[in-house]
Amino acid sequence: FCLGLRIIRQPKWESLATFICSSMKQVAHIRQISRNLRERFGEIRKIDSYVVHIFPSAERIAATSAGELRKCALGYRAKNLLATARLVASGDVDLGKLAALSDIDLRVRLCELPGVGAKVANCVMLFAYERLGAFPIDVWIERVLRERYFPRALKLNARRLEAFTQQYFGGHGGYAQQYLFHHARKTGGRRAVGARNGTRQKR
DNA sequence: AACCAGGGGGTCT
DNA sequence: AGACCCCATGGT
Ligand SMILES: [Mg+2]
């Protein structure tokens, strides 16, 4: 439950790039990486008296090297971001044209990109392609799903979980996911699973 | 199917 | 200061 929660439409390349950088990272660190990329490679724009670096284009990223990207704290993600940037910059992949595809086809195409799997693809679909049914499952979501819907199902693989969320949450599953995510973060990390009780609020 | 590498800031002790 | 946590993807 979170009054006023909204999903905003975000730029395709920037979303794709930052979600490729997001694997195995916490939000604070992803923000740091994005800032590094912007300050190092982003064009400068002046808005009144503010000077900002915009997020670098795929062409700009493609013109860097894995070594330079690593200096932005990307670690092993550097080569994935570089490879994907090259695909986008060369025109082999047209992010704009992908918008015409069905959810299924779009996900398949996104997953073909280096560093993109089911979770990252769903994030990009939800935030950049207006696919409000896309349901990204990260560890936070998985925890809350198991806790609330499968209290003692032991054998429950990713495929079954995904099938359940599509069936159960349907066409606006992405919004449900955002509420669940907010709930999971708000009620504490995995350590709190056993210690939580009185402060619990549902949905 | 199960397991593991990989990078570095965050959080706790 | 040092220990441990975080946690998607791709490859074995
Ligand atoms: Mg892929």
Side-chain angles (χ1 to χ4, degrees):
Chain A
F1 172 72
C2 175
L3 212 58
L5 182 153
R6 292 295 183 273
I7 293 169
I8 60 176
R9 185 184 310 109
Q10 291 165 278
K12 294 180 176 59
W13 163 248
E14 180 170 348
S15 296
L16 175 62
T18 52
F19 277 112
I20 286 174
C21 299
S22 76
S23 72
M24 288 280 290
K25 288 293 187 190
Q26 290 174 273
V27 175
H29 200 187
I30 296 163
R31 199 179 291 127
Q32 177 68 40
I33 290 173
S34 173
R35 180 160 49 238
N36 289 341
L37 289 173
R38 279 182 280 117
E39 292 182 351
R40 211 174 165 77
F41 304 116
E43 290 178 23
I44 293 177
R45 292 287 163 78
K46 291 197 174 74
I47 300 177
D48 295 332
S49 59
Y50 292 97
V51 174
V52 298
H53 291 258
I54 65 173
F55 194 84
S57 64
E59 289 77 9
R60 183 69 188 88
I61 298 284
T64 66
S65 66
E68 283 189 288
L69 292 177
R70 277 178 176 265
K71 291 178 185 165
C72 297
L74 267 77
Y76 62 87
R77 301 159 197 79
K79 67 177 192 323
N80 289 334
L81 180 61
L82 181 59
T84 295
R86 284 176 172 164
L87 287 170
V88 173
S90 72
D92 287 350
V93 172
D94 185 327
L95 296 181
K97 282 187 180 169
L98 294 187
L101 298 176
S102 67
D103 286 3
I104 302 286
D105 292 338
L106 175 57
R107 178 154 41 231
V108 168
R109 296 294 299 278
L110 289 173
C111 285
E112 289 172 355
L113 301 170
V116 179
K119 193 271 181 182
V120 170
N122 278 331
C123 284
V124 175
M125 289 171 67
L126 177 59
F127 293 114
Y129 284 90
E130 306 179 43
R131 307 304 169 103
L132 298 185
F135 197 101
I137 300 177
D138 67 357
V139 293
W140 294 94
I141 296 299
E142 186 171 340
R143 274 175 207 146
V144 67
L145 283 178
R146 297 185 102 98
E147 194 177 322
R148 280 193 53 74
Y149 300 101
F150 303 94
R152 34 179 205 298
L154 293 180
K155 49 174 177 22
L156 189 64
N157 58 33
R159 198 159 304 290
R160 288 184 60 89
L161 257 189
E162 182 185 349
F164 166 77
T165 59
Q166 289 303 316
Q167 169 72 26
Y168 188 85
F169 295 107
H172 290 75
Y175 261 102
Q177 189 268 6
Q178 289 294 292
Y179 283 107
L180 288 172
F181 187 81
H182 179 78
H183 168 76
R185 300 297 299 236
K186 193 179 58 179
T187 54
R190 52 176 260 310
R191 236 173 15 278
V193 168
R196 160 176 64 216
N197 46 47
T199 62
R200 180 189 310 206
Q201 297 177 314
K202 292 178 182 172
R203 307 239 296 189

